[in-house]
Amino acid sequence: MQPMIIILKEGTDSSQGKSQILSNISACQAVAEAIRTTLGPRGMDKLIVDNRGKPTISNDGATILKLLEIVHPAARTLVDIAKSQDAEVGDGTTSVVLLTAEILKNTKTFIEDGMHSTIIIRAIRKATALTIKKIKEIAVNIKSNDAEEHRALLEKCACTTLSSKLIARQRDFFAKMVVDAVLMLDELLPLNMIGIKKVTGGSLEDSRLIAGVAFKKTFSYAGFEMQRKKYLKPIIALLNIELELKAERDNAEIRLDNVDEYQKIVDAEWSILYNKLEKLYKAGVKVVLSKLPIGDVATQYFADREMFCAGRVQEDDLKRTQKACGGTIITTVENLHEQSQHVFGTCDILEEVQIGSERYNFFTGCPKAQTATMILRGGAEQFIDEVERSLHDAIMIVRRAVKNDSIVAGGGAIEMALSRTLRDYSRTIPGKEQLIIAAYAKAFEVIPRQLCENAGFDATNILNKLRQKHFENHIWFGVDIIHEDVHDNFTAAVWEPAVVKINAITAASEAACLILSVDETIKVPKSSAEPSNAAKAMNMT
Amino acid sequence: MPSIGTLAFDEFGRPVLILKGQESKKRLFGIEAHKSHILAGKAVADTLKTSLGPRGMDKCMVSPDGDITITNDGATILSMMHVENEIGKLLVQLSKSQDDEIGDGTTGVVVLAGALLEHAEALLDKGIHPIRIADGYELAAKIALDHLDKIAESYPLDLTKLDPLINTAMTTLGSKIVSRCQRQMAEIAVNAILNVADMERRDVNFELIKVQGKVGGRLEDTLLVKGVVVDKTFSHPQMPKEVRNAKIAILTCPFEPPKPKTKHKLDITNVEDYKKLREYEKEKFTEMIKSIKDSGTNLVICQWGFDDEANHLLLSHELPAVRWVGGPEIELIAIATGGRIVPRFQELTAEKLGYAGYVRELNFGTTSDHMLCIEQCKKSNTCTIFVRGGNKMIVEEAKRALHDALCVVRNLVRDNRIVYGGGACEISCAIEVAKEANQIPTIEQYAIRAFADALESVPLALAENSGFSPIKTLSDVKSQQIAENNPRLGVDCLNTGTNDMKAQLVIETLIGKRQQISLATQLVRMILKIDDIRLPGESEE
């Protein structure tokens, strides 16, 4: 009798071989299926309610995949590439997932036919390199010498991104806003210098961009309402100091053996606070912002002296104020005097304004306005959340486009051009790779096809028209969503930065290769947890 | 199968798990999802339909704790209904954001959104792509908004003549329970707003208007106090019940010997020390009284309490005092009386005192309820509306009605353009939109026509609630509007004999109407764009 050798822990789920690759591929396809309909200007949104009952309505591939809570190991790769696309370029998260799934689907038959996956992988790698070369070759470089023209380019890129979102109708409005915001930033284009504030109520067109900083009125103590609500050219001090009457040390205890000392202690505590306040006042500060609370005594002290204060300001707001108004965040007031102006900031106008049911502090006309704040308005919370996500995509795209001004035409045009190039190339090579590259070429067609399907067009018909146009070397022909036809998307200004496509294609190919190269999954069960349903199903067979 | 598309099978036909808790998740997809959204939206809108207009009915809501609320304010009804459905929740937020931004028209906006959804359903059945419907709606909304701007009239905002403002406020109050003393309430609202309005900046700070309610008396007893009313009494029953020419010391320190904030301990080892302590405390009390007396105060308002000893001392020094006054009230009093909040006795000086001409205690009926009323203040830009009513529910509803009226007046201060109510501007927009629809070449045409129909739902509901035959009334008014080219004709809900809303003085603010249309359209777009809902199933645990 042969003794059984147990190597793996009881209940470990292990599957391997060709079948494993195939099942991974079908899992990926199932995931792609879930976000397929969100692509393009006629793409739909998804409403996902998580376990805590929090609803999210989104059109953004990465957001949806994150919320789906995918547990399948291979399918998780797709979530990761969507996330990486999101982090890297911010947009095109749906296309990257679709592309991966399509590449996998087209190679599936070869796996079934017994072709070794390493050959496929090699061919895909080769094709990817070719594709990227081709994109770089045909991408149009728009010169940015002319500021006007450069702006127009950026706005068009932003428009293309926004056209598939909820705010498609208002895309010109928001594209302008996004470009304004990004151009306000400094060389490095730091994302966190664009603040997005959301206030429910109002319509989308009431959203506004503030060249400077705005934040919600912080919690205030009695006395706040007596402060002025508008300051011109104030001197602003940014603090990280608590201005409150409090115990200086939490775990300290004072022992007194004499009543006379009592009053002294009380006075000492007050004078600590008053010294701080007086230092600020003497230095000529008009506006005091602090990350830490500003207590009632301090609020009233400032109100008495025509000063404005806000405590518990969010850290990023404070940082952005610092960027905009200059100065530094001060952690002690000991060294302040009238000459120490360099540590203070200033701006033209500080004003408290009512927005919806909230009151906001606006700092405008800042000398170093390298920061911007968008105030978004809209009918419902989820609505504004989705607008924020859309604008985030647009901001990322514009940032990319500012740095790198080569663009390609969207709407399936670039994909068709690439598909054609690869197909032509595949015919020049003998051997198995020919098939794979042709399949890879076909995978690109998924983008225009899905665009058509989402819009309810006859996809096959449109695709045939496109193929014919591209054969005649009209490389910028893509899907025309409005007229259910094909047209030159370059002249129609459906533009995307080339880098977005390059990144998407690289990520998709790598993910596809990764999934193809896995031939065994070993899943260790959670200790003491009940076996997963898949395992249960296996036990039954 | 509820979760098509998320199931994948491996080579043996076993299902592969892709999503966490996949089997228990619910999914609605495609046209079914749309239908379910529309149904939910319609259901919510239907609940509110009967509350619209001057003949609208109230709803009675019983909270889980058994509290009863009777109201016809859309936002309040929806927020108390605890809507579970996700789409329903969106509508709730819609009305809330109308409330935040405009304060009035919360019912109308939901009815409009419901009607838009209802008409979208018919279009979906025709096979029109949901996004094209949404696009059409937005085109139509633009037409309607432009038309509103055209028919809007600029309203004379003259501070000496309050009648026009009062008329607008009366329109708002017309649909509320307080319509019995409509005129009086409207006057109160107008006076209150003009009292606090900053006409230069066209800004109204609502925090300066306090609405206080007290059960008892009649609605007619509601009054506007140009000053502050606090729900407090003098600390000692023997203190005088009224103070004329009050010089008020506003204190935020307790009436007791000051204590250090740091944890402390006083060791008393002998009788001598104990006596000293006693001496010290006594001395402190006299010192405090003396500092108050020296500053010329004849009324003390204190944020904290004081014990009987202090109370007695105050009485014997003829210093009427009020204790435990909350932070916001302290602030209001300080603003109204022009005083300064004083954090310690040492800082009390004559300049920091507030001044009020007349401070008195109000008594109500036979109950021992008292309230303190501070009038004839130095700066009268704070005011309190004191609402009386037969029972708690009426008082609460009157408060809400006043809030709506206050908002409307504020909006007029901000933007003095108006349109005519009673469905007049909706009918006029509907006519215009329907006319424009014929000039649109694409299939959006259908959606635009549907939008025109949906706009008519407001006058329809008005007519229905007033007991008229809705279709007949509407078609009469419509034909009359076209024949006379008069956009001021609306539904004569109160049977006054004329349906010229200008003659009836039924006036609404332009921004309110604009807001309704754009908010409703944008929200409907969001709902139409969703084609996939995923809900977590009942938790497995």
Side-chain angles (χ1 to χ4, degrees):
Chain A
M1 199 185 94
Q2 189 120 37
M4 229 166 71
I5 305 171
I6 297 172
I7 301 171
L8 298 173
K9 210 170 142 189
E10 170 75 38
T12 303
D13 181 14
S14 147
S15 47
Q16 53 176 308
K18 195 168 95 182
S19 59
Q20 172 64 22
I21 302 180
L22 291 177
S23 99
N24 280 346
I25 291 177
S26 38
C28 290
Q29 274 173 265
V31 170
E33 206 63 47
I35 57 166
R36 193 167 276 270
T37 55
T38 63
L39 190 77
R42 295 270 188 264
M44 307 298 276
D45 289 2
K46 311 275 163 203
L47 188 150
I48 301 166
V49 183
D50 70 8
N51 289 329
R52 273 162 297 154
K54 188 182 168 289
T56 309
I57 297 176
S58 184
N59 174 282
D60 181 52
T63 312
I64 298 170
L65 287 180
K66 214 162 24 184
L67 289 168
L68 280 180
E69 295 186 71
I70 290 170
V71 288
H72 192 280
R76 281 263 282 280
T77 328
L78 292 183
V79 183
D80 289 342
I81 57 165
K83 269 191 207 158
S84 83
Q85 176 83 3
D86 198 27
E88 190 64 24
V89 285
D91 190 32
T93 48
T94 309
S95 353
V96 73
V97 174
L98 276 186
L99 207 54
T100 314
E102 196 66 16
I103 295 172
L104 288 173
K105 186 180 145 199
N106 286 348
T107 48
K108 197 173 170 187
T109 42
F110 301 115
I111 303 266
E112 274 166 357
D113 290 348
M115 199 186 280
H116 198 277
S117 51
T118 47
I119 296 175
I120 302 179
I121 291 171
R122 205 184 315 133
I124 290 181
R125 294 234 164 99
K126 199 167 177 184
T128 316
L130 272 173
T131 326
I132 297 207
K133 213 176 104 216
K134 179 73 182 170
I135 296 183
K136 286 189 176 147
E137 206 177 290
I138 60 173
V140 178
N141 224 325
I142 295 219
K143 280 179 226 72
S144 62
N145 298 336
D146 187 3
E148 282 288 306
E149 211 171 297
H150 189 54
R151 236 201 104 84
L153 155 85
L154 296 178
E155 277 184 24
K156 276 173 189 157
C157 289
C159 271
T160 310
T161 310
L162 291 177
S163 66
S164 65
K165 309 289 182 187
L166 189 61
I167 46 180
R169 273 281 149 191
Q170 288 80 15
R171 61 174 179 264
D172 293 332
F173 176 81
F174 281 106
K176 194 172 166 297
M177 193 159 145
V178 165
V179 174
D180 278 341
V182 173
L183 290 183
M184 245 173 239
L185 303 180
D186 58 10
E187 287 294 291
L188 288 167
L189 305 175
L191 187 63
N192 57 1
M193 281 301 136
I194 300 180
I196 297 184
K197 303 279 160 194
K198 298 174 277 187
V199 189
T200 50
S203 67
L204 277 174
E205 287 85 357
D206 294 335
S207 305
R208 54 196 276 203
L209 177 74
I210 286 140
V213 188
F215 53 83
K216 201 159 114 185
K217 189 191 119 177
T218 49
F219 177 81
S220 63
Y221 289 93
F224 180 79
E225 290 301 327
M226 292 159 78
Q227 296 175 349
R228 259 173 41 203
K229 301 296 176 207
K230 191 173 182 177
Y231 287 85
L232 294 172
K233 290 261 169 215
I235 296 173
I236 304 170
L238 308 163
L239 306 180
N240 192 3
I241 312 172
E242 207 163 332
L243 294 177
E244 206 167 10
L245 191 61
K246 52 143 199 179
E248 279 303 314
R249 288 280 172 274
D250 286 339
N251 42 9
E253 191 183 284
I254 304 172
R255 280 177 190 245
L256 307 169
D257 52 5
N258 191 340
V259 179
D260 301 337
E261 302 289 312
Y262 204 84
Q263 185 63 34
K264 278 189 195 156
I265 301 282
V266 175
D267 287 345
E269 277 185 351
W270 280 86
S271 63
I272 289 173
L273 177 64
Y274 269 58
N275 275 340
K276 285 184 197 166
L277 299 178
E278 205 174 317
K279 279 265 163 57
L280 286 168
Y281 173 60
K282 285 271 170 64
V285 175
K286 279 284 168 212
V287 175
V288 182
L289 304 178
S290 179
K291 207 171 90 183
L292 294 168
I294 294 183
D296 50 351
V297 176
T299 310
Q300 287 143 21
Y301 182 93
F302 290 141
D304 260 0
R305 285 159 186 78
E306 289 276 289
M307 291 159 77
F308 178 87
C309 67
R312 293 181 214 252
V313 178
Q314 299 269 313
E315 193 172 355
D316 55 334
D317 287 333
L318 200 65
K319 280 203 177 133
R320 288 193 302 114
T321 316
Q322 184 219 339
K323 273 270 177 191
C325 303
T328 40
I329 295 175
I330 310 166
T331 46
T332 173
V333 290
E334 282 309 308
N335 306 320
L336 292 183
H337 47 81
E338 274 159 64
Q339 272 75 48
S340 52
Q341 294 302 336
H342 60 280
V343 297
F344 299 132
T346 187
C347 67
D348 279 351
I349 305 167
L350 158 70
E351 197 177 357
E352 192 185 290
V353 179
Q354 180 98 28
I355 297 180
S357 60
E358 319 261 17
R359 290 191 83 83
Y360 267 74
N361 295 320
F362 280 27
F363 295 80
T364 44
C366 306
K368 298 178 184 162
Q370 283 172 349
T371 176
T373 309
M374 289 181 185
I375 296 191
L376 302 182
R377 312 298 315 276
E381 217 179 299
Q382 287 97 324
F383 190 89
I384 307 186
D385 286 349
E386 174 63 4
V387 173
E388 186 194 357
R389 277 190 292 271
S390 312
L391 286 186
H392 171 257
D393 283 9
I395 291 171
M396 294 295 274
I397 286 291
V398 173
R399 278 178 66 205
R400 276 282 160 189
V402 168
K403 283 184 191 163
N404 186 334
D405 51 10
S406 66
I407 53 154
V408 293
I414 179 75
E415 283 84 3
M416 287 308 288
L418 293 175
S419 172
R420 187 205 156 203
T421 318
L422 284 177
R423 206 177 303 118
D424 287 353
Y425 172 77
S426 71
R427 307 219 169 99
T428 64
I429 34 174
K432 287 178 184 167
E433 287 184 4
Q434 187 201 57
L435 285 171
I436 310 293
I437 293 180
Y440 187 80
K442 196 161 183 301
F444 279 113
E445 288 179 358
V446 69
I447 304 282
R449 184 178 326 120
Q450 196 59 46
L451 283 177
C452 294
E453 269 171 22
N454 286 350
F457 302 159
D458 183 349
T460 325
N461 188 19
I462 302 262
L463 272 185
N464 286 336
K465 277 190 195 166
L466 276 178
R467 279 195 207 108
Q468 184 259 343
K469 283 285 178 201
H470 278 264
F471 183 73
E472 290 172 356
N473 274 330
H474 297 295
I475 52 167
W476 296 130
F477 263 71
V479 184
D480 179 356
I481 294 293
I482 299 151
H483 302 104
E484 195 174 344
D485 204 350
V486 297
H487 71 164
D488 188 338
N489 273 344
F490 199 81
T491 49
V494 183
W495 295 351
E496 286 181 85
V499 63
V500 174
K501 287 290 163 201
I502 294 179
N503 199 62
I505 292 168
T506 328
S509 307
E510 271 168 14
C513 292
L514 184 73
I515 291 166
L516 286 175
S517 64
V518 174
D519 75 335
E520 179 163 356
T521 313
I522 299 170
K523 204 171 161 194
V524 182
K526 266 190 221 151
S527 47
S528 84
E530 78 244 57
S532 70
N533 283 318
K536 258 192 230 157
M538 203 159 64
N539 290 342
M540 279 187 287
T541 48
Chain B
M1 183 156 237
S3 49
I4 307 168
T6 51
L7 266 190
F9 298 92
D10 65 5
E11 66 282 8
F12 308 117
R14 297 181 318 215
V16 181
L17 263 192
I18 295 175
L19 304 181
K20 199 171 154 195
Q22 181 167 287
E23 329 68 48
S24 67
K25 274 189 180 158
K26 273 186 266 170
R27 183 175 187 215
L28 267 183
F29 190 74
I31 197 83
E32 261 174 66
H34 284 127
K35 286 277 165 72
S36 98
H37 294 160
I38 289 170
L39 203 68
K42 260 166 47 185
V44 172
D46 279 345
T47 331
L48 284 193
K49 225 174 204 170
T50 53
S51 295
L52 198 71
R55 297 266 192 239
M57 303 304 277
D58 287 4
K59 310 268 175 245
C60 172
M61 259 116 6
V62 184
S63 77
D65 307 330
D67 289 340
I68 297 173
T69 311
I70 296 178
T71 182
N72 84 1
D73 179 56
T76 315
I77 299 175
L78 288 181
S79 65
M80 309 278 270
M81 267 167 49
H82 294 285
V83 177
E84 273 287 312
N85 184 286
E86 294 306 328
I87 301 301
K89 275 189 201 153
L90 282 177
L91 286 174
V92 175
Q93 288 192 358
L94 171 75
S95 93
K96 192 173 169 296
S97 57
Q98 173 84 10
D99 196 30
D100 289 347
E101 186 73 12
I102 304 297
D104 183 37
T106 50
T107 315
V109 69
V110 177
V111 171
L112 184 61
L116 285 173
L117 284 174
E118 195 175 332
H119 285 90
E121 189 179 15
L123 295 177
L124 280 174
D125 285 343
K126 278 186 190 146
I128 298 180
H129 196 282
I131 292 187
R132 306 206 82 159
I133 301 177
D135 280 352
Y137 277 177
E138 294 214 356
L139 274 177
K142 212 176 157 291
I143 299 170
L145 291 180
D146 288 346
H147 184 66
L148 271 184
D149 282 343
K150 242 181 280 160
I151 61 169
E153 288 174 22
S154 204
Y155 212 53
L157 194 65
D158 186 353
L159 295 189
T160 48
K161 272 181 263 157
L162 300 178
D163 272 357
L165 285 174
I166 293 174
N167 286 334
T168 326
M170 276 173 70
T171 309
T172 308
L173 292 172
S175 60
K176 311 285 177 187
I177 199 164
V178 294
S179 57
R180 184 154 53 95
C181 31
Q182 205 175 356
R183 174 101 202 161
Q184 188 197 356
M185 290 289 185
E187 273 169 15
I188 288 176
V190 172
N191 282 326
I193 289 285
L194 292 183
N195 217 0
V196 301
D198 181 347
M199 293 311 275
E200 208 177 298
R201 285 174 55 205
R202 293 197 165 252
D203 184 36
V204 178
N205 190 348
F206 267 174
E207 281 176 39
L208 297 179
I209 302 176
K210 224 173 128 223
V211 182
Q212 275 268 357
K214 193 97 188 170
V215 179
R218 296 173 303 155
L219 266 180
E220 282 83 348
D221 294 336
T222 301
L223 53 102
L224 175 72
V225 179
K226 289 196 177 165
V228 191
V229 175
V230 278
D231 195 358
K232 291 284 176 298
T233 55
F234 286 113
S235 58
H236 199 287
Q238 280 174 321
M239 284 177 183
K241 294 295 171 215
E242 56 175 59
V243 181
R244 287 194 185 271
N245 292 329
K247 291 209 180 73
I248 307 170
I250 305 156
L251 301 172
T252 50
C253 47
F255 233 101
E256 55 187 38
K259 278 196 200 105
K261 292 264 178 178
T262 313
K263 205 164 145 198
H264 61 279
K265 194 171 171 186
L266 185 60
D267 289 332
I268 295 174
T269 42
N270 51 33
V271 181
E272 206 66 7
D273 276 354
Y274 190 76
K275 278 188 179 152
K276 251 194 199 161
L277 177 68
R278 173 103 195 93
E279 210 46 40
Y280 168 80
E281 286 197 347
K282 210 168 165 189
E283 197 185 303
K284 276 289 152 197
F285 272 124
T286 15
E287 211 174 273
M288 279 186 277
I289 300 285
K290 190 171 171 292
S291 66
I292 292 173
K293 267 285 171 197
D294 284 352
S295 64
T297 310
N298 56 7
L299 175 66
V300 179
I301 293 195
C302 186
Q303 193 175 12
W304 305 100
F306 33 84
D307 55 17
D308 288 344
E309 192 178 344
N311 207 355
H312 171 76
L313 270 172
L314 283 167
L315 180 70
S316 58
H317 284 87
E318 286 169 359
L319 277 173
V322 188
R323 56 183 159 185
W324 295 120
V325 180
E329 277 113 350
I330 282 268
E331 203 166 7
L332 274 177
I333 295 172
I335 294 172
T337 60
R340 291 290 179 188
I341 299 171
V342 180
R344 11 181 230 176
F345 289 98
Q346 284 93 321
E347 284 170 33
L348 194 64
T349 54
E351 300 89 69
K352 292 197 172 180
L353 299 182
Y355 174 80
Y358 188 36
V359 179
R360 66 191 160 126
E361 226 177 71
L362 287 176
N363 291 318
F364 301 109
T366 54
T367 56
S368 55
D369 278 349
H370 301 285
M371 273 184 156
L372 199 68
C373 179
I374 303 172
E375 282 176 292
Q376 298 168 16
C377 302
K378 193 152 63 181
K379 292 184 192 157
S380 58
N381 62 347
T382 51
C383 54
T384 306
I385 298 173
F386 192 58
V387 182
R388 306 300 313 273
N391 58 42
K392 194 166 157 249
M393 282 161 270
I394 294 231
V395 172
E396 290 298 311
E397 176 66 358
K399 272 184 171 174
R400 275 189 293 269
L402 271 171
H403 172 256
D404 282 9
L406 287 172
C407 289
V408 167
V409 181
R410 175 195 62 181
N411 295 340
L412 271 182
V413 170
R414 275 201 198 149
D415 182 348
N416 61 353
R417 282 176 299 167
I418 51 120
V419 288
Y420 290 95
C425 60
E426 280 90 355
I427 298 175
S428 169
C429 285
I431 295 171
E432 179 69 18
V433 170
K435 206 165 74 196
E436 292 284 323
N438 297 335
Q439 295 167 19
I440 306 284
T442 44
I443 48 171
E444 275 87 5
Q445 203 189 81
Y446 285 89
I448 295 175
R449 257 188 229 124
F451 189 88
D453 290 343
L455 275 176
E456 285 168 5
S457 64
V458 173
L460 277 177
L462 275 179
E464 202 174 317
N465 291 346
S466 311
F468 303 139
S469 148
I471 305 287
K472 186 174 171 299
T473 319
L474 180 65
S475 45
D476 282 353
V477 176
K478 211 168 156 186
S479 66
Q480 211 180 338
Q481 270 214 13
I482 294 174
E484 297 177 22
N485 195 14
N486 181 355
R488 296 189 299 271
L489 301 178
V491 179
D492 176 22
C493 302
L494 296 170
N495 264 333
T496 46
T498 169
N499 53 10
D500 188 339
M501 290 298 143
K502 195 172 183 179
Q504 274 206 31
L505 293 170
V506 180
I507 301 163
E508 287 188 64
T509 54
L510 172 70
I511 37 175
K513 270 280 161 294
R514 283 186 66 102
Q515 193 73 232
Q516 276 189 353
I517 293 181
S518 50
L519 273 182
T521 317
Q522 281 161 11
L523 195 95
V524 167
R525 181 190 184 87
M526 179 166 209
I527 294 176
L528 284 178
K529 214 163 173 280
I530 302 170
D531 74 335
D532 193 355
I533 327 169
R534 283 159 195 273
L535 296 166
E538 285 75 51
S539 52
E540 289 152 77
E541 290 91 68

